[in-house]
Amino acid sequence: MVFLRVNNIKKSFDEKKVLDGVFMEVYKGERVIIKGPNGVGKTTLLKIIAGIILPDEGSIDFLVKPQISFQFQNVVFFPWLSMMENLELFVRDKEILKNLIEYFSLRDFFHLYPSEISGGYQQIFSFVRALSIPHNLLILDEPFKSLDPERKKRVKEVLKDHLKDRKITLLMVSHQEEEEREIADRIFNLA
Ligand SMILES: Nc1ncnc2c1ncn2[C@@H]1O[C@H](COP(=O)(O)OP(=O)(O)OP(=O)(O)O)[C@@H](O)[C@H]1O
C-alpha cells in the first residue's frame, strides 16, 4: 500500500535550482534511506514532505493520513528551557520516553539547559524526543552524525527495535553504507 507520493517536486533558493522534478513513491512501513552528496537537497526534500517548507512546483500526496515525527539535522531546542521542560513540551508517549531515558541514562541532564550539554547528547535527546512523539512517518535527518561509536551503536539498536513489529514508515538521510544495509529496505539516491 502506497503511503506517500512525491510528485514532480521543484524547489529553488535565490534562483539556485535545488530540486528539479523529484518523483518518489513510498510504501506503508517501508524504510527508505535518502542519500546524495552535500547540498543536493536531501534536507529540503524532507522538509517539503513534512510541510515545513513549500515547493515551487509539484505536490506531496499522502494516501495514508500522516502523523509525522521529525528529527532535524541541526538539533532544535528552546534555549531558555531545561532539557526536561523541552521534552515535556512535545512528548505524549510517556512509556517510550521513560524507557529511553533509562536506557540512555539521561536523568542527570534533566535540569541542564541545551547549551550546557554536549552536541552528541543533544542529538540523543533529539532522537528520544522524535521517538516519543506519536507517529506513523518517522523522518530522521542524519541521526547518528555526532555520536561516538558506542552511542551510535545504541541509538541504532533502539531505532531497529522501535521499528520492529510497528508499521512505521521511515525516511532517513544517511551517508553511511553500514546504516543503509542494516536499516534500509531501499536506498533513494538524490544525486
Ligand atoms: N532556506 C534556505 N535559503 C537559501 N538556501 C537554502 C535554504 N535551505 C537550503 N538552501 C540551499 O539549498 C541547497 C540544498 O540544501 P540541503 O540542506 O537540502 O542539502 P543536503 O543535501 O541536505 O546537504 P547536506 O548533506 O550537507 O546536509 C544548499 O545549497 C543550501 O545552501
Side-chain angles (χ1 to χ4, degrees):
M1 181 197 228
V2 175
F3 188 94
L4 70 91
R5 281 198 188 104
V6 174
N7 182 30
N8 195 24
I9 291 293
K10 298 185 182 179
K11 180 74 185 176
S12 298
F13 291 108
D14 310 321
E15 317 277 296
K16 186 184 165 212
K17 231 176 229 171
V18 176
L19 301 172
D20 190 17
V22 178
F23 290 89
M24 174 168 61
E25 202 166 62
V26 180
Y27 289 91
K28 189 175 172 198
E30 198 177 13
R31 282 88 211 245
V32 180
I33 296 218
I34 297 171
K35 68 183 282 189
N38 292 130
V40 77
K42 302 179 295 298
T43 297
T44 303
L45 178 62
L46 292 183
K47 286 182 176 172
I48 289 173
I49 290 172
I52 295 166
I53 57 176
L54 292 173
D56 299 331
E57 278 181 51
S59 61
I60 305 296
D61 305 324
F62 286 101
L63 286 89
V64 173
K65 191 170 183 282
Q67 209 180 11
I68 299 174
S69 189
F70 198 133
Q71 182 186 356
F72 295 95
Q73 184 179 6
N74 299 318
V75 175
V76 189
F77 290 111
F78 290 117
W80 57 86
L81 297 179
S82 71
M83 295 315 293
M84 189 59 207
E85 288 165 339
N86 264 291
L87 287 182
E88 280 172 349
L89 267 185
F90 297 99
V91 163
R92 269 175 286 148
D93 198 326
K94 295 272 162 44
E95 196 54 37
I96 291 183
L97 180 65
K98 192 165 150 274
N99 292 339
L100 293 178
I101 284 168
E102 298 311 323
Y103 185 75
F104 289 112
S105 307
L106 297 179
R107 222 166 266 286
D108 291 348
F109 300 94
F110 274 4
H111 65 289
L112 298 177
Y113 289 86
S115 62
E116 296 175 319
I117 68 170
S118 72
Y121 268 101
Q122 286 194 31
Q123 203 171 6
I124 291 174
F125 265 98
S126 172
F127 174 76
V128 165
R129 178 174 63 185
L131 260 54
S132 311
I133 294 172
H135 54 272
N136 59 8
L137 175 59
L138 182 61
I139 301 180
L140 305 176
D141 196 350
E142 298 198 47
F144 314 117
K145 202 175 66 171
S146 25
L147 301 178
D148 66 56
E150 181 53 35
R151 301 293 177 310
K152 183 172 169 172
K153 195 170 141 222
R154 298 188 120 217
V155 166
K156 239 189 250 185
E157 286 310 313
V158 168
L159 177 61
K160 283 196 281 184
D161 198 53
H162 180 76
L163 294 173
K164 209 171 95 193
D165 306 328
R166 287 190 173 101
K167 270 273 172 220
I168 293 172
T169 305
L170 175 74
L171 296 178
M172 182 170 102
V173 170
S174 166
H175 295 283
Q176 304 294 320
E177 244 182 271
E178 38 160 338
E179 282 145 34
E180 294 159 12
R181 263 186 279 120
E182 272 179 71
I183 297 164
D185 296 324
R186 182 158 62 94
I187 314 289
F188 182 81
N189 207 330
L190 201 55

